């Protein structure tokens, strides 16, 4: 509703929209990168820096380890520089979606990723490559008459969608801050603007005088 009112809020997709969009990615490699953006809220350079050793998908609670990389001047390659590797902290994100974990295990097996644990999983030419994957998926969807509420859809759209999805499902904003890798809570609070108009439709401010008197334990009066 906030987006429809043209408020200055992050543009995001709802889970059903993303499920449909993922269907239009033509292969497992493309799908798993976009699913990883959706399941982790990773920035695109954080996702492209992931190696097989960063995934702990056989743990009791599967999780992934992300390097908290801020967006800088675009590089020709997706992997971080030596300076970035030295200065950035890690953050761990749970992977509670069992279907995503199962597909990631399939991805590992299909591409034999565990044999090169220190190599980036998506060693693409540049960050423009996944953007082209997304544009291609949107274009194929449009050929079927399917459109999305956000235009254009970019890798960062999935980061916004992840944050909103967490808040919609009751995750505390301080926890969302940690999962997003935000240093300041103010950066996370921007997502709360989305809910400014999304109050319960049953919320009312008016009350009849008789009901008010009854709730207050007062006798009926003729002067109201």
């Amino acid at each position: 509703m906030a987006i429809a009112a043209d408020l200055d809020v992050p543009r995001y997709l709802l889970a059903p929209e993303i499920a449909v969009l993922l269907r239009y990615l033509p292969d497992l490699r493309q799908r798993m990168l976009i699913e990883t953006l959706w399941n982790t809220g990773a920035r695109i350079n954080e996702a492209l820096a992931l190696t097989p050793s960063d995934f702990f998908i056989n743990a009791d609670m599967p999780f992934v380890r992300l390097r908290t990389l801020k967006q800088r001047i675009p590089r020709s390659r997706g992997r971080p520089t030596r300076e970035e590797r030295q200065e950035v902290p890690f953050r761990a994100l749970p992977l509670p979606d069992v279907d995503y974990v199962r597909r990631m295990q399939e991805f590992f097996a299909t591409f034999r990723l565990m044999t090169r644990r220190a190599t980036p999983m998506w060693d693409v030419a540049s960050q423009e490559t996944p953007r082209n994957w997304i544009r291609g998926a949107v274009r194929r969807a449009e050929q079927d008459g399917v459109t999305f509420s956000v235009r254009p859809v970019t890798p960062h759209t999935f980061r916004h969608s992840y944050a909103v999805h967490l808040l919609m499902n009751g995750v505390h904003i301080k926890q969302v801050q940690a999962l997003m890798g935000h240093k300041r809570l103010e950066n996370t609070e921007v997502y709360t603007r989305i809910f400014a108009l999304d109050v319960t439709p049953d919320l009312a401010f008016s009350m009849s005088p008789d009901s008010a008197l009854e709730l207050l334990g007062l006798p009926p009066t003729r002067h109201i």
Side-chain angles (χ1 to χ4, degrees):
M1 188 179 296
I3 291 178
D6 200 27
L7 300 182
D8 184 19
V9 296
R11 276 11 188 195
Y12 65 95
L13 294 170
L14 294 172
E17 293 182 283
I18 295 178
V20 171
L21 178 58
L22 290 170
R23 290 183 55 193
Y24 288 95
L25 291 165
D27 60 54
L28 186 62
R29 180 169 179 257
Q30 293 187 22
R31 172 171 179 147
M32 292 318 301
L33 175 58
I34 306 308
E35 274 210 79
T36 297
L37 296 175
W38 165 226
N39 276 264
T40 65
R43 303 173 179 91
I44 184 60
N45 56 350
E46 293 174 342
L48 293 177
L50 285 168
T51 69
S53 62
D54 293 318
F55 281 85
F56 300 82
I57 54 179
N58 296 317
D60 291 339
M61 168 49 77
F63 68 96
V64 63
R65 181 182 62 182
L66 278 178
R67 296 161 185 82
T68 302
L69 302 172
K70 289 291 184 68
Q71 289 286 5
R72 294 179 172 86
I73 297 173
R75 301 186 299 269
S76 59
R77 304 293 290 178
R79 66 185 67 181
T81 64
R82 182 190 307 174
E83 179 183 358
E84 287 174 323
R85 287 196 185 98
Q86 290 174 345
E87 71 182 32
V88 299
F90 287 101
R91 69 183 190 273
L93 293 98
L95 301 173
D97 189 316
V98 294
D99 290 331
Y100 167 76
V101 171
R102 176 181 52 79
R103 283 189 290 271
M104 183 57 73
Q105 290 170 330
E106 179 186 346
F107 181 50
F108 272 47
T110 301
F111 289 88
R112 299 181 180 178
L113 293 174
M114 295 307 291
T115 62
R116 45 190 182 92
R117 292 182 59 82
T119 303
M121 295 169 60
W122 295 280
D123 194 12
V124 297
S126 74
Q127 294 181 14
E128 192 63 21
T129 299
R131 291 187 174 92
N132 287 334
W133 293 350
I134 295 169
R135 281 193 285 264
V138 171
R139 189 165 53 249
R140 286 186 287 273
E142 288 175 344
Q143 291 171 355
D144 284 347
V146 177
T147 58
F148 302 97
S149 59
V150 172
R151 297 174 71 100
V153 180
T154 70
H156 216 66
T157 303
F158 299 95
R159 178 168 169 82
H160 293 324
S161 303
Y162 172 79
V164 173
H165 192 66
L166 293 178
L167 291 170
M168 282 183 169
N169 283 276
V171 179
H172 192 277
I173 193 168
K174 292 288 287 184
Q175 189 174 0
V176 175
Q177 177 189 3
L179 294 172
M180 295 289 286
H182 289 157
K183 285 187 177 181
R184 297 185 304 170
L185 183 61
E186 291 87 345
N187 294 333
T188 314
E189 287 176 335
V190 67
Y191 294 101
T192 62
R193 299 179 195 165
I194 291 169
F195 305 106
L197 299 177
D198 295 335
V199 296
T200 172
D202 297 327
L203 180 64
F205 292 91
S206 300
M207 181 179 294
S208 72
D210 289 341
S211 297
L213 289 169
E214 182 179 354
L215 286 172
L216 293 171
L218 300 173
T221 174
R222 297 179 180 178
H223 300 290
I224 295 183

